[in-house]
Amino acid sequence: MATLKDIARATGLSMNTVSRAIRGSGYVSRQTAELVLKTVRELDYHPNRAAQDLRRRKSTQITVVAESYDYLHIEKLAAIKEYAAECGYTMGVHFTSEDYPQSTFNALLPDILEQNPAGLIIIASSGFIIGKVRELCRKIPCVMITFNGVPDIDCVYIDRAGGVYDAIRYLYGKGRRRIVFCETFRARNRKLGYQRAVRELGIPELIVSGTMKPLSEIRREGEQIAKILASWDNPPDAVQTSDYMASGLLAGFAAAGVEVPRDVSVIGFDDRELAGMLNPPLTTLAQPSAEVGKVSAQMLFERIGGVRKDGPPENIPVPMRLVVRNSA
Amino acid sequence: MATLKDIARATGLSMNTVSRAIRGSGYVSRQTAELVLKTVRELDYHPNRAAQDLRRRKSTQITVVAESYDYLHIEKLAAIKEYAAECGYTMGVHFTSEDYPQSTFNALLPDILEQNPAGLIIIASSGFIIGKVRELCRKIPCVMITFNGVPDIDCVYIDRAGGVYDAIRYLYGKGRRRIVFCETFRARNRKLGYQRAVRELGIPELIVSGTMKPLSEIRREGEQIAKILASWDNPPDAVQTSDYMASGLLAGFAAAGVEVPRDVSVIGFDDRELAGMLNPPLTTLAQPSAEVGKVSAQMLFERIGGVRKDGPPENIPVPMRLVVRNSA
DNA sequence: CTGTTAGCGCCTTCAA
DNA sequence: TTGAAGGCGCTAACAG
């Protein structure tokens, strides 16, 4: 790879002049500048970021750490990368994953610190990692993407409670009065939104608990739950639950001769890829993944840029969007 | 952040001795080493990778470029990262995406080169990008993850033809004789595998073409195709197609009173998240995403490590796996 | 076993 | 408008 020195030699100028010409900063005659730029192109010169960073004493890379690898993460990564690129930064990525035992957050930390990133975005919700980040953010700007707000850490989270609240009101607006909330893994926030809505609307609180089984069994469980719901003396006219569970509910309702959405409406949660492919296509609350990624990057660069250098931590909820398809 | 100099000052040793002690390379007395390591911990010192790389004249970062952001990419990224970490490398990520117009491959190139990565893994299949990579790999080790092999470039690709070939033979083994191949976007390789299988097995070639519509309409199209297939005088007893299209077929067959898999078997392609959630759960050919990621990383590090420094380009197909669920 | 010297590629300060 | 000198954090080559 060509270096500044190569350009200097080729043009007969000093490295310094070449450097200024390339950055367009400072005083360089038009002719000199043109000569330099031409030579840069000829030698296919690209400045060395590591050297620049070293000299300027600041890194132009941010690092994203994702806990496990949810499919939806890819949209967050893309949005973060996009925003970072606009700010002139590159993005490194790490995964903490149960599939790869050496990839615990702790094991990753030295690698992350050695990279000396300008900032960190951590997608995680485990108490352990939150604790770690609490220490970490004294040394380096950190923003988390979490399930819930965390008072003393910058973080952005999806307003799951608000999303479900909206969904329940939507169902109510459609005339539904017996709305079941079918609880699944990590549904605490959603449940809160459900409860607030039914209380306000004065309709009965009907909560059914899934057994929090692994993904591969959720569908079957959903089928069974649908059959149980259908057999109630006074069956529900709507259900809110996860997309995964909803896939089972739809199959179970079909088997029980209950028609969706005529007899019962179903609203899912997440808008995973499968939602639009179910039968009928699932009305669901979409995770604003790209938005979350973008907002987290904005927060991070405010800290990095010093605009909000030492301000108090902020928590930003991002609203969900109800994607209306055919199931409700 | 603490530097080597800080450690040297704190211990009263020279920077060099400290450096050797930390790297465990060279001759350092046990006492000195212990003192250094203790101080390192106290000051929370982490070597600066940028400075190390600069001095050693080699980068310890690889870069992955992904064309668009398919959900399945996240598994490839995780596997690549894992392998890279084992080799002591970190991973930067870029996306070329239609959603973000400034993220064309060309626009990304300067950023990538400035990072001076030790190697590149490019997940893409457009002719344009392949052309670019052909130039690029003269300057820096490159491995591509593509749809098809590319003779003059290191690449790994999923053996789609072989996967479908196996699936057809599987169906034949189950007694199916009228097997339809339902063509969708980018199905050329798959079609080849289908054609080879039916030729060998001496059963009729039955190809139905989808209209390559956008994802959101594929499901509806699948429903219609299912109805058409069901109305044939001599209807098929099996269909192979994409997971997306299969979701529509299942819905359409259900509506037409055709039972899957009793009357007709359906085998999908990709094993996307939705496959296990359909009704019935879909038997499908799984993309070996993690395997592809790992193999591509292995290839790259062979080039980087010089083991295969100037050998001829290699093309490695990775076999698919038939995930048997309920639809076939 | 330990310290000194030099320099990776670049940019900032200062002087010309 | 240009150039020379110095140093970011680190390590390799060489002395001691």
Side-chain angles (χ1 to χ4, degrees):
Chain A
M1 293 286 280
T3 71
L4 256 199
K5 199 188 267 177
D6 295 328
I7 309 287
R9 199 161 25 217
T11 56
L13 293 159
S14 74
M15 284 172 54
N16 194 332
T17 303
V18 172
S19 175
R20 266 181 288 122
I22 289 174
R23 281 172 296 145
S25 83
Y27 310 81
V28 181
S29 74
R30 180 186 298 279
Q31 301 167 36
T32 307
E34 280 172 9
L35 173 61
V36 168
L37 263 26
K38 183 164 144 290
T39 313
V40 161
R41 253 174 278 118
E42 282 171 9
L43 301 190
D44 194 28
Y45 167 80
H46 294 271
N48 181 318
R49 282 283 267 263
Q52 281 181 329
D53 286 0
L54 189 59
R55 176 61 240 240
R56 298 206 252 236
R57 245 149 308 185
K58 68 158 217 159
S59 163
T60 51
Q61 172 164 136
I62 64 165
T63 295
V64 179
V65 185
E67 184 178 33
S68 86
Y69 45 92
D70 189 309
Y71 287 121
L72 299 182
H73 283 352
I74 200 90
E75 289 180 17
K76 302 185 189 94
L77 289 179
I80 292 168
K81 159 68 171 92
E82 181 66 12
Y83 194 89
E86 281 170 18
C87 298
Y89 284 66
T90 56
M91 179 182 80
V93 178
H94 297 256
F95 297 97
T96 71
S97 152
E98 290 148 20
D99 293 13
Y100 298 116
Q102 292 183 321
S103 300
T104 62
F105 194 77
N106 267 344
L108 254 27
L109 219 37
D111 270 357
I112 293 170
L113 263 11
E114 284 180 20
Q115 286 215 81
N116 187 35
L120 238 39
I121 294 179
I122 301 105
I123 310 174
S125 289
S126 82
F128 176 77
I129 294 183
I130 290 174
K132 278 286 171 188
V133 172
R134 194 169 286 131
E135 296 169 31
L136 208 54
C137 64
R138 281 197 295 261
K139 300 200 305 204
I140 175 175
C142 290
V143 171
M144 293 197 75
I145 297 177
T146 49
F147 261 74
N148 303 297
V150 181
D152 54 345
I153 293 177
D154 272 335
C155 69
V156 17
Y157 61 96
I158 293 173
D159 183 10
R160 295 173 161 78
V164 171
Y165 176 86
D166 292 342
I168 304 304
R169 296 202 79 114
Y170 169 85
L171 289 168
Y172 187 90
K174 291 277 189 178
R176 305 291 157 157
R177 294 295 180 271
R178 294 185 51 72
I179 305 173
V180 163
F181 178 76
C182 179
E183 201 170 2
T184 55
F185 189 53
R186 284 188 156 164
R188 216 187 60 201
N189 294 329
R190 288 178 250 162
K191 189 168 165 181
L192 259 27
Y194 168 80
Q195 289 171 318
R196 185 159 66 87
V198 293
R199 205 172 42 242
E200 284 184 19
L201 295 168
I203 57 178
E205 179 175 303
L206 304 168
I207 296 178
V208 173
S209 287
T211 51
M212 317 292 169
K213 287 189 175 164
L215 198 50
S216 57
E217 296 173 37
I218 282 190
R219 190 188 168 290
R220 184 189 313 274
E221 189 178 10
E223 286 188 71
Q224 287 162 356
I225 291 177
K227 284 171 192 165
I228 293 169
L229 295 178
S231 71
W232 281 6
D233 288 344
N234 190 0
D237 54 15
V239 187
Q240 202 288 313
T241 190
S242 73
D243 282 356
Y244 297 129
M245 180 66 85
S247 73
L249 290 180
L250 294 181
F253 281 135
V258 175
E259 194 172 313
V260 176
R262 192 196 61 193
D263 306 327
V264 59
S265 300
V266 178
I267 292 186
F269 192 91
D270 274 351
D271 195 25
R272 291 180 183 276
E273 203 179 22
L274 63 95
M277 303 290 165
L278 295 176
N279 186 21
L282 188 68
T283 294
T284 189
L285 288 157
Q287 275 205 33
S289 296
E291 179 71 8
V292 161
K294 183 176 176 182
V295 170
S296 65
Q298 282 172 331
M299 287 182 81
L300 185 64
F301 281 104
E302 282 177 11
R303 283 267 184 238
I304 291 174
V307 181
R308 210 165 49 84
K309 191 66 177 273
D310 296 307
E314 285 179 26
N315 279 210
I316 301 183
V318 179
M320 302 190 78
R321 191 170 43 88
L322 185 68
V323 178
V324 177
R325 297 204 179 87
N326 302 33
S327 69
Chain B
M1 294 283 280
T3 71
L4 256 199
K5 198 188 265 177
D6 295 327
I7 309 287
R9 199 159 29 215
T11 56
L13 293 159
S14 74
M15 281 172 56
N16 195 326
T17 303
V18 172
S19 175
R20 267 181 287 124
I22 290 173
R23 282 173 294 144
S25 84
Y27 308 82
V28 182
S29 75
R30 180 187 299 280
Q31 300 168 38
T32 306
E34 280 172 8
L35 173 61
V36 168
L37 262 28
K38 183 165 143 291
T39 313
V40 161
R41 252 174 279 120
E42 282 171 11
L43 300 191
D44 194 28
Y45 167 79
H46 294 271
N48 182 317
R49 282 282 267 264
Q52 282 181 328
D53 286 1
L54 188 58
R55 178 59 239 237
R56 296 207 251 239
R57 244 150 308 182
K58 65 158 217 159
S59 163
T60 51
Q61 172 163 138
I62 64 165
T63 295
V64 180
V65 185
E67 185 179 32
S68 88
Y69 46 93
D70 189 308
Y71 286 121
L72 299 182
H73 283 353
I74 199 91
E75 291 181 14
K76 301 186 190 94
L77 289 179
I80 292 168
K81 159 70 171 90
E82 180 66 12
Y83 194 89
E86 281 170 17
C87 298
Y89 284 67
T90 57
M91 180 183 80
V93 178
H94 297 257
F95 296 97
T96 70
S97 152
E98 290 147 22
D99 293 12
Y100 298 116
Q102 291 183 322
S103 300
T104 61
F105 193 77
N106 267 345
L108 254 27
L109 220 36
D111 271 355
I112 294 170
L113 263 9
E114 284 180 20
Q115 285 215 81
N116 187 35
L120 237 40
I121 293 178
I122 301 105
I123 309 174
S125 289
S126 83
F128 177 77
I129 294 184
I130 289 174
K132 278 286 172 188
V133 172
R134 194 169 284 133
E135 295 169 31
L136 209 52
C137 62
R138 283 198 293 260
K139 302 200 306 202
I140 175 176
C142 290
V143 172
M144 294 197 73
I145 297 176
T146 50
F147 261 73
N148 303 296
V150 181
D152 54 344
I153 293 178
D154 271 336
C155 71
V156 17
Y157 61 95
I158 293 172
D159 182 11
R160 296 174 160 78
V164 171
Y165 175 85
D166 292 343
I168 303 306
R169 296 200 78 113
Y170 169 86
L171 290 168
Y172 187 90
K174 291 276 190 181
R176 305 291 158 156
R177 293 296 180 270
R178 293 186 52 73
I179 306 172
V180 162
F181 178 76
C182 179
E183 200 170 5
T184 55
F185 189 52
R186 283 190 157 165
R188 215 188 60 199
N189 294 329
R190 288 179 250 163
K191 190 167 164 184
L192 258 27
Y194 167 80
Q195 288 170 316
R196 186 158 67 87
V198 294
R199 203 169 46 238
E200 285 184 18
L201 296 167
I203 57 177
E205 179 175 303
L206 304 168
I207 296 178
V208 172
S209 287
T211 51
M212 317 292 169
K213 287 189 174 162
L215 199 49
S216 57
E217 296 173 38
I218 281 191
R219 189 188 169 290
R220 183 188 313 274
E221 189 178 11
E223 287 189 72
Q224 287 161 355
I225 291 177
K227 283 170 193 163
I228 293 169
L229 295 178
S231 71
W232 281 7
D233 288 343
N234 189 1
D237 53 16
V239 186
Q240 202 288 313
T241 189
S242 74
D243 283 356
Y244 297 129
M245 179 66 85
S247 73
L249 290 181
L250 294 181
F253 282 134
V258 175
E259 195 171 312
V260 175
R262 193 196 60 192
D263 305 327
V264 60
S265 300
V266 177
I267 292 186
F269 192 92
D270 274 351
D271 194 25
R272 291 180 183 274
E273 203 178 23
L274 64 95
M277 303 289 167
L278 296 176
N279 187 21
L282 188 68
T283 294
T284 189
L285 287 158
Q287 274 205 33
S289 297
E291 180 70 8
V292 161
K294 183 176 176 182
V295 170
S296 67
Q298 282 173 331
M299 286 182 81
L300 186 64
F301 281 105
E302 281 177 12
R303 284 264 184 242
I304 291 175
V307 181
R308 210 164 50 86
K309 192 64 179 272
D310 295 307
E314 286 179 26
N315 279 211
I316 301 184
V318 180
M320 303 191 77
R321 191 171 44 88
L322 185 67
V323 178
V324 177
R325 297 204 179 87
N326 303 34
S327 69

